[in-house]
Amino acid sequence: MMKVTVWNENRHEQTNEKVQEVYPKGIHVAIADFLTKAGVDTRTATLDEPEHGLTEEVLEQTDVLVWWGHIAHHEVSDEIVTRVQQRVLAGMGLIVLHSGHFSKIFKTLMGTSCDLKWREANEKERLWVVQPNHPIADGVGEYIELEKEEMYGEHFDIPSPDELVFVSWFQGGEVFRSGCTFHRGMGKIFYFRPGHETYPTYYNKDIQQVIINAVKWAEPSNRTKPVYGNAQPLEDVPGE
């Protein structure tokens, strides 16, 4: 069975009463709950655990890592970032949610600033499915409507996505590339925009469906990993 680790810095939940009301057990637990109900073997990890809960053993047992962070990106150890990066390059899937766009691991894998415009104004978001045949969009209608969300707006400083699955429109007029896939080494990455901590976004059934789909899509393949370095010829080579 596929094994998923849901990582959350878990800082807002400790200090913000509004976030505590929405996610009393933490965003990571809310996400892990619906993944578990979907039949996914799920564990959680948080920033303040030893090695941020991402020991070599945990990562070796993780097929897909789900990442949520916001106010404590700078507290994530560079050693752990490198450890996660190497696992992604080796085939582990990575799902980066909402403000995880500014996490060390996402910026490392993208090679850009990953910066954007933002505004918190309780405005409507409509996520349009722009690649309806993509497996991450399975079970979702033409769009997902969220009555209240934080706005993210273009320009989003990321490399051109390998695939663009969702584009958001906001009540204030902005648009945003909200569902982007990337491939790095043997690993698959999906960035999904919704999920501000003060809104109950992760209880929305369509949002849950997208994350469930994304986890399944990002599962490592079974193919043999490429061999690098000096190689012997497969056929006789003149002059050898």
Side-chain angles (χ1 to χ4, degrees):
M1 180 185 291
M2 176 173 54
K3 296 182 181 296
V4 173
T5 299
V6 180
W7 190 90
N8 172 27
E9 67 181 36
N10 195 35
R11 287 294 174 79
H12 288 294
E13 294 90 334
Q14 298 179 47
T15 60
N16 188 317
E17 290 184 1
K18 189 171 182 180
V19 178
Q20 291 169 359
E21 290 175 4
V22 179
Y23 297 107
K25 296 181 180 179
I27 291 172
H28 53 301
V29 174
I31 294 171
D33 281 351
F34 69 74
L35 287 172
T36 299
K37 289 176 183 176
V40 178
D41 185 352
T42 310
R43 69 192 300 168
T44 63
T46 58
L47 178 65
D48 290 331
E49 295 176 39
E51 299 182 62
H52 308 328
L54 300 175
T55 63
E56 291 184 0
E57 181 181 5
V58 167
L59 287 175
E60 284 297 326
Q61 297 173 357
T62 299
D63 296 311
V64 180
L65 176 63
V66 180
W67 190 282
W68 197 100
H70 186 205
I71 58 173
H73 297 315
H74 63 287
E75 295 185 43
V76 177
S77 160
D78 291 342
E79 179 183 354
I80 301 302
V81 172
T82 299
R83 185 182 295 173
V84 173
Q85 177 196 23
Q86 292 305 310
R87 281 288 294 130
V88 172
L89 296 178
M92 182 182 73
L94 178 65
I95 312 301
V96 177
L97 300 175
H98 190 58
S99 45
H101 73 90
F102 226 42
S103 63
K104 287 183 179 180
I105 183 57
F106 191 62
K107 292 197 288 186
T108 295
L109 288 163
M110 296 298 104
T112 58
S113 76
C114 300
D115 215 342
L116 45 78
K117 295 184 181 73
W118 64 273
R119 177 178 62 247
E120 190 176 349
N122 293 337
E123 58 195 287
K124 181 185 296 184
E125 176 181 6
R126 193 170 287 136
L127 296 101
W128 288 93
V129 177
V130 294
Q131 192 168 341
N133 65 345
H134 199 284
I136 292 178
D138 281 356
V140 177
E142 284 191 311
Y143 60 85
I144 301 170
E145 189 164 301
L146 301 172
E147 285 302 317
K148 293 182 180 181
E149 251 295 354
E150 180 182 21
M151 185 280 293
Y152 280 5
E154 295 287 346
H155 176 246
F156 187 15
D157 186 23
I158 54 173
S160 296
D162 293 326
E163 300 162 303
L164 182 59
V165 186
F166 298 96
V167 170
S168 284
W169 165 90
F170 291 90
Q171 201 167 348
E174 290 84 4
V175 296
F176 191 77
R177 289 168 289 169
S178 286
C180 306
T181 74
F182 306 89
H183 293 76
R184 295 292 184 271
M186 294 289 289
K188 291 180 280 188
I189 302 165
F190 180 60
Y191 172 75
F192 191 43
R193 196 218 71 82
H196 186 64
E197 65 275 4
T198 60
Y199 302 121
T201 300
Y202 294 121
Y203 298 119
N204 180 286
K205 296 300 182 183
D206 286 330
I207 298 300
Q208 293 180 359
Q209 186 63 58
V210 170
I211 295 172
I212 292 165
N213 292 345
V215 162
K216 294 177 179 178
W217 168 84
E219 184 177 10
S221 68
N222 292 320
R223 69 169 287 110
T224 304
K225 296 176 183 176
V227 177
Y228 300 103
N230 184 262
Q232 297 299 311
L234 298 179
E235 311 290 345
D236 291 335
V237 178
E240 284 291 314

